Amino acid sequence: MQCPSQGNTVTLPFRIGVAAVLLQSLLPLGASAQSQLTYSTSWIGNSFGFGDGKWMQQDIQAISVGVDGTVYTNAPWDESGSEIAAYRAGDKIAVAGSTHGWGNTGGDAIATNHSYLYAAMSIGNESNGLVGADFPPANLTWYGITRRTLANLATGAPFTGGIGNSANATKNSFLLLNAAATGTDASVRGLAATDSEVYVADTANSRILVYDANSMQRLRSWNVPSPGRLAVDTDSTLWVMSGVSSGNLSIVHYSANGALLAGTVPLPAGTVPTDIAVAPSGQILVADNGPLQQILVYTKDANGALQAGASIGTRNGMFHVVKGAPGNGRFNGITGIGVDASGNLYVAQNGEGPRPIGSASVGQGAVLESYVFNSRALNWRLYGLTFVDGAAFDPATPNSVYTGSKRFTLDYSQPAGHEWSYAAFTLDRFDYPDDPAFHQPRGVRGEPMVRRFDGRRFLYTLDPGAHYLNVYRFDSAHGEMAIPSGLLAQNPLPGNWPAGQPTYGEWLWRDSNGNGVVDASEISSNPSTGSTVGNGFWWVDMPGNVWLATPMSGIREMPLQGLDSAGNPIYSYASSTMFAMPQPFTRIARIVYIAQTDTMYVSGFTAAIPWDATHWKEAGPVLARYDNWRSGTPALQYAIALPWNTQSSPQTTTVGVAVAGNYVFVAELYTAKVDVYDARTGQAVGYMTPGASVGNTTGWVDVYLGISAAQRDNGEYVVLLEDDARAKILMYRWTP
């Protein structure tokens, strides 16, 4: 029958045949009949794999550099608790701990002297679930500073008046500055220290506070409009970034006692200062997160006035041609800078710059670099590039892998963990600030699918919960950058963006004028909003057709209608076709459609094991294959029981499905396991778990599209999984 709002609705009988026996038995093949395969484990995107007990953290918001070249880092969140850490000579040497869980988080500022580390952090009560002297009263969050010994960052340096963490080694080493209503960001945005004093930017209260570095007793304070980063000059004066809350940023100069001194740092137009550092030579360095993406260098003349010198780094950083290509001095989102006593420069980046006040962003991947200050020669570089990020192969070559905002190349001849190299950053916040990814949950692109059709390359990405399908195109003028091309939304985005989206129901956007801006005139709404709105799952097949697995109403295809004059794929609700809910499912969770063979793989829930809200992101307990999905009567070839035990500890459930060559790969959620099935028969083949190179562990695959697979020409299968714990992509290599 014809449905004007959905195009063709196809209600077809499903030819079952011999598969009826499988439907009746659904043997738990994945649970008991598998054996461990012979394979190798590797990873992509992190300088460390965790086999050595190390990982590069996923975000860096601030750094402090010790005289010996040790770089101390801080960020509000690292999934595995490395908010505050220490690095030296390209190695990770310490994790502070006690900044993760039980209400604790890291922060946005850090400073050191010869004895102590002082780091911004916060203590909450986890939605009023934590009570007692170590936690703030109901509906409040504490913001302040943790003090640690440099000799052992995991050990607090307690002081009179210190509070918090009475059950661990940082007892009474937290200085409470602000008790703010939960949800109000009152974090410290700047710290500087000498051996005698600690300077604190109390951003929320527009003041500088000065404490005795040893007793932690307050000495004095003065007012500065929403101060941020601080730096102590060689003459003991203080440089202060002002205007953090307003965005009207300047760098002003004060005496150690708070007297305003003449002159400010002469920032070029368009500069967005993010950090200040003083070199041993007395030069003032300013990190610029504006379009220049450089480090500005100032030298004092005979009268003490600052004179601009040659900047450090390539003009426009990673956004210089070829746009998106990494390299020495091609900075991207500088969050911290510092210089050690030997004249080495250290630069921290996270792909976006310091998080805005009130934001929960963890950046777009961390990079920590060291250069010789005078020659600009690279000393070392560390990467922690992915978080809540799936990965997918370019169908043109299994040597090229995309994540939501990165591209990697693989050299399979290299040892485990060394196969990958960072090839590109594909997210352009300068040319395309209206990229829908910035307005979706977490502000990242997330889970990718790469497709090639009509002789062109396209990137499709999902947000972690698969509510939105983003479409990107590429052209030579923009280098490696993915150009916003379209968006298909199951429901409206929260907030006021974009103008023109409906108040309820599905909608889509196509960038018909090619400017990368979501114009209201380019938005189309689905006339029928009910059945397909909700927690569905998007899939894009190789020819570019878009499929939506609705939870309860079947599967919809939106065929590719060609490309418009700007090179955008064209989709419409009117041209779509709806396929009825296939037996034996009562709720669909994942689909993979192989257009070459007209084969549909479906996972989800059945009447025997119905869906429940506590397993909202799971892929379900049953996997089925259907042949002739589009070309005739869909024929169920098999339906198999996947590993599923919600009473075990940990639970055994599934979270993702990938198909490549002759095999289906199913990721389990809590048990760090990939189950492998023969795609032709549904028979269990074996399983893979993380090997020693990654510490025999991995984080949860915590997104809807967190697994992908490809078969190389030599017959080897490469399987990629999101590692939610340690800022990397887990990689399995298996030859049947």
Side-chain angles (χ1 to χ4, degrees):
M1 67 179 176
Q2 189 72 20
C3 176
S5 62
Q6 294 285 333
N8 297 320
T9 300
V10 179
T11 305
L12 296 175
F14 288 91
R15 182 162 52 84
I16 297 175
V18 297
V21 177
L22 288 173
L23 279 177
Q24 294 170 10
S25 58
L26 282 176
L27 293 174
L29 299 174
S32 59
Q34 293 197 50
S35 59
Q36 191 161 16
L37 301 173
T38 301
Y39 58 93
S40 64
T41 309
S42 189
W43 73 91
I44 296 171
N46 201 291
S47 295
F48 308 104
F50 196 62
D52 50 9
K54 303 171 185 177
W55 70 99
M56 173 63 180
Q57 63 199 85
Q58 68 200 41
D59 183 26
I60 299 174
Q61 290 289 331
I63 66 171
S64 177
V65 178
V67 292
D68 64 350
T70 301
V71 184
Y72 302 91
T73 61
N74 195 7
W77 183 260
D78 178 79
E79 189 73 15
S80 288
S82 185
E83 287 83 7
I84 300 173
Y87 303 84
R88 186 191 304 134
D91 195 13
K92 187 172 188 175
I93 61 174
V95 174
S98 300
T99 56
H100 190 90
W102 289 100
N104 294 325
T105 65
D108 303 275
I110 193 166
T112 53
N113 56 23
H114 287 89
S115 301
Y116 299 115
L117 174 144
Y118 309 86
M121 68 171 290
S122 67
I123 300 177
N125 53 36
E126 298 190 3
S127 300
N128 301 331
L130 302 174
V131 296
D134 283 341
F135 308 105
N139 305 315
L140 292 178
T141 299
W142 288 339
Y143 292 92
I145 301 165
T146 180
R147 188 174 75 165
R148 310 295 179 90
T149 64
L150 292 188
N152 184 355
L153 296 186
T155 301
F159 49 87
T160 301
I163 62 173
N165 294 306
S166 61
N168 63 46
T170 66
K171 177 181 179 180
N172 295 339
S173 60
F174 176 74
L175 175 68
L176 173 60
L177 296 178
N178 294 313
T182 298
T184 299
D185 186 346
S187 56
V188 171
R189 291 295 179 127
L191 285 169
T194 67
D195 285 340
S196 59
E197 295 184 335
V198 179
Y199 298 87
V200 181
D202 184 358
T203 312
N205 294 300
S206 289
R207 59 185 179 173
I208 300 294
L209 306 173
V210 186
Y211 291 84
D212 184 283
N214 297 298
S215 70
M216 295 301 288
Q217 300 306 301
R218 187 187 295 186
L219 301 176
R220 58 191 180 276
S221 66
W222 68 89
N223 294 330
V224 177
S226 58
R229 298 300 171 83
L230 311 174
V232 177
D233 206 338
T234 54
D235 60 1
S236 298
T237 59
L238 190 70
W239 294 97
V240 180
M241 187 183 302
S242 174
V244 171
S245 298
S246 67
N248 185 20
L249 296 166
S250 62
I251 299 175
V252 291
H253 200 190
Y254 290 91
S255 72
N257 290 319
L260 182 63
L261 302 176
T264 60
V265 176
L267 300 174
T271 299
V272 181
T274 57
D275 199 13
I276 317 163
V278 179
S281 61
Q283 292 171 297
I284 308 299
L285 311 181
V286 176
D288 178 12
N289 194 39
L292 288 178
Q293 292 291 296
Q294 291 180 307
I295 300 171
L296 311 179
V297 180
Y298 299 89
T299 303
K300 300 185 186 79
D301 63 17
N303 298 316
L306 296 182
Q307 304 297 323
S311 298
I312 299 172
T314 302
R315 185 181 181 89
N316 304 125
M318 196 175 282
F319 301 89
H320 187 80
V321 293
V322 172
K323 285 188 173 186
N328 294 350
R330 293 174 64 90
F331 301 132
N332 182 16
I334 304 174
T335 58
I337 54 175
V339 184
D340 67 19
S342 300
N344 296 300
L345 171 69
Y346 302 86
V347 186
Q349 304 145 74
N350 72 353
E352 67 180 29
R355 69 179 185 94
I357 290 177
S359 168
S361 174
V362 295
Q364 301 286 345
V367 180
L368 182 61
E369 299 176 312
S370 173
Y371 295 87
V372 178
F373 181 70
N374 290 329
S375 69
R376 316 303 200 239
L378 179 70
N379 289 320
W380 52 265
R381 179 183 290 121
L382 294 175
Y383 289 126
L385 292 173
T386 68
F387 175 61
V388 195
D389 232 343
F393 295 93
D394 183 340
T397 169
N399 297 337
S400 186
V401 170
Y402 281 80
T403 64
S405 61
K406 319 288 187 313
R407 185 173 72 83
F408 300 94
T409 56
L410 299 180
D411 179 354
Y412 293 103
S413 68
Q414 298 301 311
H418 297 275
E419 296 102 330
W420 66 274
S421 59
Y422 184 24
F425 182 79
T426 65
L427 186 64
D428 193 336
R429 62 188 180 279
F430 294 105
D431 283 354
Y432 300 109
D434 215 33
D435 187 325
F438 294 132
H439 304 272
Q440 292 170 9
R442 284 198 64 250
V444 298
R445 288 208 186 117
E447 291 65 70
M449 292 173 275
V450 185
R451 301 294 182 253
R452 288 182 179 261
F453 47 83
D454 286 359
R456 307 188 192 189
R457 174 175 38 123
F458 296 90
L459 175 67
Y460 295 79
T461 69
L462 302 180
D463 65 289
H467 297 97
Y468 310 102
L469 176 66
N470 304 300
V471 187
Y472 299 90
R473 59 185 175 87
F474 297 86
D475 64 31
S476 58
H478 292 82
E480 295 275 0
M481 294 300 173
I483 303 167
S485 179
L487 168 65
L488 289 86
Q490 295 181 53
N491 40 45
L493 280 155
N496 299 319
W497 187 96
Q501 71 172 338
T503 57
Y504 176 77
E506 280 193 281
W507 57 279
L508 63 83
W509 163 70
R510 176 164 50 87
D511 186 32
S512 57
N513 61 13
N515 66 356
V517 175
V518 183
D519 298 314
S521 61
E522 298 171 332
I523 291 175
S524 302
S525 298
N526 187 353
S528 176
T529 60
S531 63
T532 58
V533 176
N535 298 312
F537 177 77
W538 299 99
W539 175 258
V540 183
D541 63 26
M542 287 300 175
N545 306 305
V546 171
W547 299 80
L548 177 63
T550 71
M552 307 292 289
S553 302
I555 299 171
R556 187 186 67 199
E557 179 191 13
M558 297 182 75
L560 176 67
Q561 303 294 297
L563 304 179
D564 66 16
S565 59
N568 305 303
I570 302 172
Y571 302 101
S572 71
Y573 296 112
S575 63
S576 64
T577 299
M578 198 77 188
F579 294 82
M581 176 73 73
Q583 300 176 27
F585 294 100
T586 56
R587 186 181 181 99
I588 300 174
R590 304 289 190 273
I591 58 172
V592 176
Y593 178 69
I594 308 300
Q596 183 180 5
T597 58
D598 193 20
T599 305
M600 178 67 79
Y601 296 86
V602 179
S603 74
F605 299 83
T606 66
I609 308 180
W611 178 84
D612 68 274
T614 61
H615 299 97
W616 54 272
K617 63 186 170 187
E618 268 85 344
V622 174
L623 172 72
R625 170 185 160 175
Y626 305 87
D627 290 354
N628 307 317
W629 182 262
R630 294 177 64 191
S631 59
T633 302
L636 176 63
Q637 296 302 301
Y638 53 77
I640 59 176
L642 298 175
W644 193 268
N645 185 352
T646 58
Q647 304 305 309
S648 60
S649 181
Q651 295 183 51
T652 303
T653 65
T654 62
V655 72
V657 178
V659 180
N662 292 325
Y663 297 94
V664 180
F665 303 88
V666 177
E668 297 183 17
L669 177 53
Y670 304 105
T671 42
K673 188 177 178 184
V674 172
D675 302 293
V676 184
Y677 301 88
D678 191 307
R680 296 158 293 189
T681 65
Q683 293 296 310
V685 175
Y687 67 87
M688 300 182 286
T689 58
S693 65
V694 295
N696 300 302
T697 189
T698 183
W700 296 350
V701 178
D702 210 18
V703 295
Y704 278 44
L705 186 62
I707 182 172
S708 68
Q711 184 181 18
R712 298 175 60 203
D713 290 342
N714 65 359
E716 180 183 60
Y717 286 83
V718 185
V719 182
L720 305 178
L721 292 98
E722 179 230 7
D723 180 351
D724 197 41
R726 295 179 182 88
K728 68 178 184 291
I729 301 296
L730 184 66
M731 179 165 68
Y732 292 118
R733 298 175 59 181
W734 169 61
T735 301

